[in-house]
Amino acid sequence: MERRVLTLDEHTCRRRTSAKWRAFDPDVLPLWVAEMDVMTAPAVAEELLRVVADADLGYHVPATYLEAVARWHERWGALVDPGRMALVTDAMSGVKGALIAMTEPGDPVYITVPVYPPFHAVVPAAGRRTVTVPLSPEGRFDVPALERAFAEAPGRGAVLLSNPHNPTGSVPTREELSALARAAAAHGVAVISDEVHAPLVLPGAEFTPITAVPEATGAVSVISPAKGWNLAGLKAAAVVGGPTAAAAVRRVPSDLSWSASHVAIRAHVAAMDHGQDWLADLIADLAANRALLGRLLEEHLPGMTWRPGESTYLAWLDCRGLDLGDDPADHFHRVGRVALTAGSPFGEGHGFARLNFAASPSVVTEAVHRMRDSLS
Ligand SMILES: Cc1ncc(COP(=O)(O)O)c(C=O)c1O
């Protein structure tokens, strides 16, 4: 049987009212925020219809979610215990809760830049101090550089990982995570791993949850199917503790669980339990788009450099060779009528822009054509 292509055409997407297709003028092609132009997974759509049919619109039961998160982890060979988990509103509130639970006010929090801009904001919002450590030139965690940074304030703080990494798409190997966890343990630094992109690892790489790394028993992860199944509008996520992290998870502020939504939980549980076929088709679409984007950039924008990521649908484009200044996204928006995400807020991102290729092949192609034409 031929596999389904899940991406939706531009006309269909323009009917949407969420941020991606509404933030810019109608003549702009939006390839920015991390929403995907895809159909809803049938398992999720059917569950939402059942919710409405049964008028099941009340308060949630957290254990329903946490047990599904535990079942979901089995596919990565990770045994996680609902007793060491906390339901939270969404991934970023889980990150904030974990920072509060695992560090003290004023502690250093190490983030590996360039990284998802809200990482830069959540640390001061939690009353902690941001320390940026650049990724390696390959866009991966630089463990020796992190260890040097840890040594400056030993016995304090936490390292906040994006695993897989937004925006470079790198997926740390088990060995890299082990080395990082050993370095953190040696200096008394806690490990918090945002694993919201875990379902979006593309062929050729393998995801390792931090909670499955023996050297990281005290670590916590934050996970949700919201990114993988494109459900950001349905709020729920979990903080998941490693074998010795039960006390830390209990310190995650409990008010974060009240704001998760029962409808979100029903949709997320359906995705985790029954959304795997859809996810396999999605991964095939994203891998095809990653290859398409590589061909298009090579042909039309040879002055731009891109290292295709091992995961996600985000392309971290090095535009420094195009002479467009610090903010190439501004140029492509104004002149090309293509909306990308500006690189600078990620840290170490001057001259970079992030492109979201979770779109139909024709939208991706048209966007690159417009970017090329904007240079002439
Ligand atoms: C690394 C990372 N964490 C968190 C989020 C946001 O997740 P949520 O909307 O569940 O807070 C994103 C969104 O793109 C992300 O890339």
Side-chain angles (χ1 to χ4, degrees), residues 34 90-93 116 119 162 166 194 196-197 224 226-227 232 235:
D90 52 23
M92 285 315 295
S93 69
Y116 180 56
F119 274 30
S162 170
N166 173 2
D194 176 340
V196 76
H197 289 286
S224 160
K227 284 289 128 193
K235 294 259 175 204

Side-chain angles (χ1 to χ4, degrees), residues 145-181:
L146 280 165
E147 187 152 22
R148 283 194 296 278
F150 299 160
E152 288 185 16
R156 292 182 60 195
V159 57
L160 172 58
L161 309 176
S162 170
N163 167 27
H165 193 82
N166 173 2
T168 63
S170 60
V171 181
T173 62
R174 189 172 285 269
E175 292 69 32
E176 285 171 318
L177 290 173
S178 297
L180 201 153

Side-chain angles (χ1 to χ4, degrees), residues 10 17 19 24 50 67 88 91 104 123 181 211 221 282 288 290 316 338 360:
E10 180 181 346
T17 58
F24 294 93
R50 277 193 292 269
E67 284 158 14
V88 288
E104 297 297 327
V123 176
T211 46
S221 67
L282 173 75
R290 177 178 63 173
W316 183 237
V338 175
S360 70

